Amino acid sequence: MFKRFYLLLGSHTFLIVPLIFTSPAAAVQLLGRAILRADTFTPGPTSGQQISIPFTEQQPVQGFSAVLPGPKPGTFRVLADNGFGLKNNSADFLLRVYAVEPDFTTGQVFPVNFQTGERLTRFSQESFLQLNDRNNQIDFPLIAEQSLYPETTIPVDSKIQSNRWLTGADFDIESFRQASDGTYWFGDEFGPFLLHVSADGQVLDAPIPLPNFLGLGDNPLVQSPDNPQLDSTANLGGSNGFEGLALNSSGTKLYAMLEGALQPDDQRDRLLINEFDLATKKYTGKTFFYQRDPLGRAIGDLTAINDHEFLVIERDNRTGDPNNPEFPRPAEFKRIYKIDINQIDSDGFVQKELLVDLLNIPDPNNLGGNGTTDGVFTFPFVTIESVLPVDDKTLLVINDNNYPFSKGRSPDQPDNNEFILIQLDQSLNLAPSQATPVPEPMTILGSAVAFDFGILFNAKKRQ
């Protein structure tokens, strides 16, 4: 990728002359970084009341757990998860998808109109999609049907009740994809369920459970202890549901990936990827096995490259910059792999190839700010849950900042939402439908304006 610098020359008229410098020979490196501050809010019902940090008439814009292309190039739609991490503390957190524009020139992230992608001055009703069940499709009780938030004496907000807005105590949505008809499919962790939603946020069908295709244990379904319809023994740990959900490049199949192993499974490093047919709205019964690394504890995302190759984020449960001695147990395993479901090894696992070590990203242009030490950028967050191909050699990666709890950059400050661009050292076999162009970042914007008495240079430094 090119790095561009610009000069404005001329005594009375201006001429823009691009000076183009090529990057070093293909190598993994940081290409850009943009930050959405942790303390970012949008209007909504008061949230955080069950964590004793009430955000009055506000909802935090946080917990990004999946990303899709936005309405115009350079914009993205990002999924907020269930809120504050648990079913019993997130009943006042609304389930939304936000539209944003990371500006890799200024290092800032801006809200944009959800439909048009036009930049906005602040997050507002124009910048998000609110999930709701106005058509009464969900077949178990919702927070909107309650008088009080669970285990509290706090009344449920009247707008949640009247609009049947979905909350973080109803679902823990961690992944999503948009089908060719414009509708969305969400992967949930509480069930785990697949949730089908219209382009305007309305639930279209009852949540779809996952059959226990391997027949491990007595439960015919895969169910977590947070499943509202649990009628047998839970066979999946809490927060181990559909962390990853990929749509193949043909747009015909979803691939729903569990974050953790089934509890009756003797192979504790085996994570299941389940194929789902969009035409019939049913699982095909085809299951693929992903082998978790001994240092890994969970996956963060599953994203299609083409019809048979996918990107997987795998991570440990640790947080903190390894270069910062204030973290006694810093992060040690955050990686992005490429897998191929057409290539199965002798033990039945899909082929797996390391693409990026997120704790060791070369940063020769010093773009990483406080994340770079001695020319190496680290992405040391406990949860990294969004990856999207920009082109065949560039990935967009976003952390889930778990506001206000996670502290991976500084032990005394809540993490920001960080958007980074990473150049790969190899080309992906990326289907055209999977590419997501963004404006090219510039490390420096140099401008020279020629006057009769000389030239004035101004450098604009990346945040």
Side-chain angles (χ1 to χ4, degrees), residues 239-270:
S239 193
N240 276 184
F242 291 143
E243 189 69 47
L245 184 68
L247 174 66
N248 67 353
S249 57
S250 295
T252 59
K253 300 285 195 305
L254 291 172
Y255 293 86
M257 185 173 185
L258 297 174
E259 184 173 4
L262 295 185
Q263 290 178 333
D265 195 345
D266 292 335
Q267 298 187 60
R268 302 309 301 157
D269 62 349
R270 181 168 65 171

Side-chain angles (χ1 to χ4, degrees), residues 8-19:
L8 298 179
L9 303 176
S11 298
H12 303 288
T13 60
F14 299 106
L15 173 66
I16 299 178
V17 181
L19 304 180

Side-chain angles (χ1 to χ4, degrees), residues 122-139:
R122 62 185 179 87
F123 282 94
S124 66
Q125 190 172 351
E126 293 180 283
S127 60
F128 61 80
L129 179 71
Q130 173 66 59
L131 304 194
N132 68 84
D133 184 36
R134 293 194 185 101
N135 278 349
N136 295 280
Q137 295 296 309
I138 295 172
D139 50 2

Side-chain angles (χ1 to χ4, degrees), residues 22 47-48 63 83 113 131 144 154 159 170 179 236 271 305 319 340 409 416 442:
T22 60
S47 59
N113 184 291
L131 304 194
I154 304 170
K159 291 182 180 178
D170 299 318
L236 182 71
L271 306 184
I305 299 170
T319 188
D340 188 340
R409 285 283 178 220
N416 297 315
M442 293 180 291

Side-chain angles (χ1 to χ4, degrees), residues 280-345:
T280 61
K281 296 184 182 180
K282 293 181 179 179
Y283 287 98
T284 67
K286 187 177 292 185
T287 303
F288 301 92
F289 303 154
Y290 175 92
Q291 185 169 31
R292 191 178 60 198
D293 189 275
L295 292 177
R297 290 294 177 267
I299 64 101
D301 201 5
L302 177 72
T303 300
I305 299 170
N306 49 54
D307 274 348
H308 60 94
E309 292 181 311
F310 301 82
L311 300 171
V312 177
I313 299 176
E314 188 176 347
R315 61 172 180 83
D316 58 14
N317 285 333
R318 296 168 67 163
T319 188
D321 190 338
N323 299 298
N324 188 340
E326 295 184 75
F327 290 104
R329 296 185 70 254
E332 62 178 7
F333 188 86
K334 315 287 181 182
R335 294 183 175 181
I336 299 175
Y337 290 96
K338 180 178 71 173
I339 65 169
D340 188 340
I341 61 173
N342 283 351
Q343 302 295 323
I344 309 298
D345 69 16

Side-chain angles (χ1 to χ4, degrees), residues 27-38:
V28 172
Q29 70 176 68
L30 187 69
L31 293 180
R33 181 190 189 213
I35 291 174
L36 180 66
R37 294 183 60 83

